Amino acid sequence: MDKALLSVLTGRTPGRRPIWMMRQAGRYLPEYRKLRAEVGSFLELCYTPELACEVTLQPLRRFDLDAAILFADILLIPQAMGLDLSFREGEGPVLGTVRDMGGVDALDGGDSVLDRLAPVMDTVGRVAAKLDDHVTLIGFCGAPWTVASYMIEGGSSPDRRTARLAAARGDDWFEALIDRLVSCSVDYLSSQIAAGAEVVQIFDSWAGDLAAAEFERWSVAPVARMVAMLKERHPGVPVIGFPRAAGLGYEGFARRTGVDAVGVDASVPPRWLGDVLSREAVVQGNIDPVVLIAGGEALDRAVDRLTEAVPACRHILNLGHGIVPQTPIAHVERMVARVRHNDGRDASES
Ligand code: CP3
């Protein structure tokens, strides 16, 4: 079997429609919860290559997926730049803050950042050595805007108001912070590729926060700079961009940033993905994680609409956002089986 994900991303006809799920390694899996309870902390898991490798592989043992995604977090970069990071039970991440030029200047850069992230590269190498031939290894980082928003807010926040204000004003320190994140993130992805990542994804989870002009300046432009640098260093390595909740901003995003594929959230109609977006880029998405919890007929219909609307050679089937802890494993099995069934039927009809 070919590597279906890599085939789609490089313009070849895949042996089948590739499937993976954002956050596919995580708390909906009992084997993840068990290991996580033994280790005690999420960050300990991320920084222990043997365990991070094990967790990365867990979903692949259960489901017939086409990609593994490195087990790590987008907030490891700000931590490696010198900010304190912890994950409190039920509260999400708590991160040191940057809110002025002094804060930006105090951040570490260059080799010391990569040195602290060395265990992640170790994990990538271990996973690469263990994957089945048809499975593609995805590396990732957060996009500058999304990571900056956590650095400015000091963790999760209801509406990211302080970060959005800095973006709207175009403060000098905010621009300097974005620039620092562009260069650190490119070095980080580049190291992941050197260690064995075959595709990289840039998560701009909060792209939908930005008004149209700010979206261009703080999501599209920094991602475009990252892609240009990555393509220069690693010409053949595909990049997936995920400007979540970008709305009309999805159109032209691939053209303006140079990404090979665009991840879309569940609000976007499959018809539009098939008729419009998939003509300009490979499309990744966009089953609603809540529909995956619902399962049954609702899930079947959602899968059918998507596989009917978007051709397999231009599609990476995924969720519109990360899978959530209460998702029944049987529903994931049902989704994967349904996709395979639908595509098999199409293939035998043509
Ligand atoms: O997709 C994967 O399976 C790979 C691993 C991965 C994680 N986080 C593991 C994780 C990836 C790709 C991420 C990305 C990430 N992290 C994003 C972008 C994607 C998105 O969901 O929008 C963001 C915004 C973060 C920051 C983050 N990490 C938050 C806000 C939280 C707390 C919320 C939560 O679900 O607990 C995390 C923790 C986190 N990252 C967990 C996992 C498996 C749960 C940690 C635990 O075991 O308690």
Side-chain angles (χ1 to χ4, degrees):
M1 221 191 317
D2 67 326
K3 293 197 184 230
L5 186 95
L6 215 45
S7 292
V8 165
L9 286 168
T10 51
R12 284 170 288 152
T13 305
R16 63 184 191 181
R17 185 184 309 254
I19 307 176
W20 70 281
M21 296 178 296
M22 289 188 279
R23 290 275 186 99
Q24 65 190 22
R27 288 170 297 194
Y28 75 107
L29 294 174
E31 58 272 34
Y32 173 85
R33 293 197 299 271
K34 180 166 178 287
L35 197 64
R36 169 82 166 69
E38 280 163 20
V39 175
S41 112
F42 166 65
L43 285 173
E44 186 78 26
L45 264 189
C46 292
Y47 287 115
T48 311
E50 196 191 338
L51 300 179
C53 172
E54 164 59 22
V55 168
T56 303
L57 297 173
Q58 284 176 345
L60 289 134
R61 294 194 192 110
R62 280 190 183 265
F63 315 116
D64 184 17
L65 302 171
D66 297 281
I69 180 158
L70 162 69
F71 188 81
D73 198 83
I74 64 165
L75 301 181
L76 301 189
I77 285 215
Q79 187 185 29
M81 293 169 95
L83 298 185
D84 286 333
L85 173 66
S86 61
F87 284 84
R88 302 208 182 126
E89 222 51 62
E91 253 183 74
V94 180
L95 188 65
T97 55
V98 174
R99 292 185 173 177
D100 52 31
M101 199 57 98
V104 177
D105 289 339
L107 293 169
D108 293 326
D111 287 346
S112 68
V113 174
L114 284 184
D115 287 348
R116 288 177 195 149
L117 293 165
V120 176
M121 277 29 107
D122 189 345
T123 303
V124 173
R126 285 168 190 257
V127 176
K130 287 196 173 166
L131 286 182
D132 286 349
D133 289 346
H134 73 283
V135 178
T136 303
L137 177 52
I138 304 174
F140 74 92
C141 70
W145 157 247
T146 289
V147 176
S149 77
Y150 282 96
M151 295 167 87
I152 294 165
E153 302 289 345
S156 298
S157 99
D159 68 355
R160 293 160 299 283
R161 184 71 58 90
T162 313
R164 287 159 63 198
L165 261 171
R169 288 199 209 99
D171 289 335
D172 287 347
W173 66 267
F174 178 78
E175 184 165 24
L177 177 59
I178 294 287
D179 289 349
R180 293 287 295 274
L181 286 168
V182 165
S183 80
C184 279
S185 305
V186 167
D187 289 344
Y188 180 47
L189 290 181
S190 204
S191 302
Q192 291 181 26
I193 292 166
E198 302 168 283
V199 169
V200 291
Q201 172 155 330
I202 302 171
F203 285 86
D204 214 349
S205 303
W206 301 120
D209 278 351
L210 298 167
E214 280 71 32
F215 175 70
E216 281 305 312
R217 186 168 179 199
W218 304 121
S219 177
V220 173
V223 170
R225 277 157 60 208
M226 287 178 62
V227 175
M229 287 189 260
L230 286 167
K231 293 287 181 188
E232 206 176 293
R233 296 192 205 174
H234 314 278
V237 176
V239 182
I240 304 171
F242 178 45
R244 190 168 71 86
L248 294 180
Y250 283 124
E251 195 164 8
F253 186 82
R255 187 172 19 84
R256 284 174 290 151
T257 57
V259 297
D260 302 275
V262 186
V264 286
D265 67 88
S267 72
V268 182
R271 273 272 149 246
W272 187 82
L273 295 180
D275 294 346
V276 180
L277 199 62
S278 67
R279 292 176 196 269
E280 64 172 62
V282 168
V283 167
Q284 175 172 283
N286 72 341
I287 299 288
D288 186 349
V290 174
V291 172
L292 187 59
I293 303 174
E297 289 281 300
L299 176 60
D300 290 351
R301 294 290 83 77
V303 169
D304 295 353
R305 277 195 297 270
L306 195 54
T307 57
E308 273 161 32
V310 192
C313 62
R314 299 292 280 170
H315 189 208
I316 299 164
L317 192 128
N318 203 315
L319 309 180
H321 199 187
I323 188 168
V324 292
Q326 62 266 50
T327 309
I329 284 165
H331 295 184
V332 177
E333 290 165 347
R334 182 174 180 132
M335 177 181 80
V336 173
R338 186 96 187 170
V339 175
R340 302 295 183 221
H341 167 83
N342 289 356
D343 287 340
R345 195 189 48 201
D346 291 351
S348 61
E349 276 168 10
S350 61

